[in-house]
Amino acid sequence: MIPRALLLTLTFTLGTALGSGPAQAASCGIFGLTVPNPQVLVALEKKAGCTFQHVRWFQDWNQPFNQEYARLLSQKGRTLDLSWQPRYVSKGKLVGVPYRDIAAGKHDRFITQFARDIKRGGKTVSISFAPEMNGDWGVYQLTSKNTPAHFKQAWKRIVHIFWREKAPVRWVWTPNILYPTALSSYRELYPGDGYVNEIGLDGYNWGTTNPWNRWKTFAQTFDESYVAIKQITSKPMQLGELSSVEKGGDKAQWILDACRQLPKYARVKKAFWFHINDGRVDWRLTTSLASLQAFRRCAPGTALK
């Protein structure tokens, strides 16, 4: 749904910045955060008055696992979530890695090294391979030559390699919310409970930012897809990406409503706010003072016991 030219670079000096967050601040509860770098994380925590225990970042296919970033984010007991995208940049353009090539073993050396790097880091990482794989807007998503069967074969091959290397990874299967032109059902894309630890679900309220969009409440955004997921697996869930725009409605009220609705989604244990301005749409919690204040009012109250 959202272009993710978000490859993160990190220097050792950011360790100081990350350590300067609110030392005794309350947890932000069920909410995690997707950010472009640790400095943004620290700045938002100061504004929000709470600490995000769950942090997500993106990584493309030809990049080594960033152990330094993982170490820094694991401070204060943070959990680490990685959206691992099978794509790379070639001559200034994004190129998708075909699932069938992964399934055929053509990338085994890279996958093996990635698993070994995570193991060497010593921290458990949750990985969402090919997030929003059911979409039709990204270079690694479904086509007539990049099928659901290829996806499942690729997923299982990757997991087997990580098992062989004994890398501490939790596997999160993360489709986009249902939409009318999807090329595959959830059931056709699901690798099976034996290969998945957790279910993710990405969804956004686009408001009226596009002619084809309309304002949707939190429930209108997620209800149908949540029910569909429950029909194929009983695995615990997270909202891997969620956000709302300001245009077309009341974003502050949307946030408050999300906090009221989330306890009804009994399987959802984490909800990652997409705190990024992607150049077309500003999804951050700080797009208005009212939106930030709404989050401050509700976030600690969503903590799950």
Side-chain angles (χ1 to χ4, degrees):
M1 178 177 293
I2 295 179
R4 299 192 187 87
L6 301 172
L7 292 179
L8 303 176
T9 58
L10 190 69
T11 64
F12 285 89
T13 58
L14 289 182
T16 302
L18 188 63
S20 64
Q24 303 300 322
S27 166
C28 296
I30 193 173
F31 281 102
L33 197 68
T34 300
V35 287
N37 58 62
Q39 292 169 312
V40 172
L41 169 66
V42 170
L44 181 61
E45 285 183 333
K46 290 179 179 179
K47 294 177 180 178
C50 60
T51 299
F52 291 94
Q53 298 303 125
H54 315 297
V55 181
R56 178 181 297 279
W57 77 93
F58 293 93
Q59 190 157 335
D60 281 356
W61 191 248
N62 59 342
Q63 301 294 317
F65 179 68
N66 195 327
Q67 292 192 31
E68 180 61 17
Y69 197 13
R71 281 194 292 269
L72 292 177
L73 288 180
S74 66
Q75 291 178 10
K76 303 180 184 178
R78 301 182 198 271
T79 64
L80 310 176
D81 287 73
L82 173 65
S83 286
W84 197 17
Q85 303 172 109
R87 69 179 198 182
Y88 60 93
V89 177
S90 176
K91 299 178 180 179
K93 294 183 178 181
L94 285 172
V95 178
V97 178
Y99 299 137
R100 64 183 181 277
D101 287 353
I102 298 173
K106 294 182 179 180
H107 296 270
D108 282 4
R109 180 179 296 181
F110 168 68
I111 297 166
T112 298
Q113 187 60 54
F114 205 88
R116 290 174 178 173
D117 288 344
I118 289 180
K119 181 180 180 180
R120 187 164 61 252
K123 300 292 184 181
T124 298
V125 178
S126 293
I127 293 181
S128 178
F129 167 68
E132 301 178 8
M133 82 297 290
N134 62 324
D136 58 7
W137 46 82
V139 293
Y140 60 77
Q141 292 166 326
L142 299 178
T143 67
S144 61
K145 296 182 179 180
N146 212 35
T147 68
H150 292 141
F151 169 79
K152 290 189 290 187
Q153 292 163 6
W155 180 285
K156 291 177 181 179
R157 189 175 190 94
I158 291 170
V159 172
H160 275 292
I161 291 173
F162 274 72
W163 284 347
R164 184 191 69 202
E165 298 299 326
K166 296 181 172 59
V169 167
R170 287 177 52 81
W171 294 100
V172 187
W173 180 74
T174 308
N176 194 73
I177 55 174
L178 296 170
Y179 68 100
T181 60
L183 297 178
S184 178
S185 68
Y186 287 159
R187 190 174 298 276
E188 290 173 317
L189 283 162
Y190 188 55
D193 282 357
Y195 292 89
V196 174
N197 299 106
E198 191 173 351
I199 306 298
L201 194 59
D202 290 359
Y204 294 82
N205 169 35
W206 287 80
T208 56
T209 55
N210 297 306
W212 54 89
N213 292 128
R214 63 180 178 84
W215 187 268
K216 290 186 177 181
T217 66
F218 180 86
Q220 288 171 333
T221 302
F222 287 104
D223 270 4
E224 181 184 6
S225 303
Y226 178 72
V227 170
I229 292 291
K230 288 174 63 178
Q231 292 174 351
I232 65 171
T233 180
S234 60
K235 291 287 185 176
M237 294 178 65
Q238 61 170 254
L239 302 185
E241 296 176 23
L242 81 155
S243 188
S244 173
V245 296
E246 299 275 0
K247 187 177 180 181
D250 188 334
K251 180 174 178 176
Q253 187 58 46
W254 196 94
I255 293 170
L256 291 172
D257 183 55
C259 290
R260 285 191 291 265
Q261 295 295 324
L262 273 167
K264 300 177 183 178
Y265 295 71
R267 292 192 193 171
V268 174
K269 307 303 180 184
K270 295 181 283 187
F272 289 86
W273 190 275
F274 194 78
H275 186 70
I276 289 173
N277 182 346
D278 72 3
R280 298 178 304 151
V281 181
D282 193 342
W283 298 105
R284 294 175 297 177
L285 282 166
T286 50
T287 48
S288 68
L289 180 59
S291 293
L292 177 62
Q293 289 177 334
F295 184 78
R296 286 177 61 95
R297 285 176 56 190
C298 75
T302 66
L304 299 181
K305 302 297 184 182

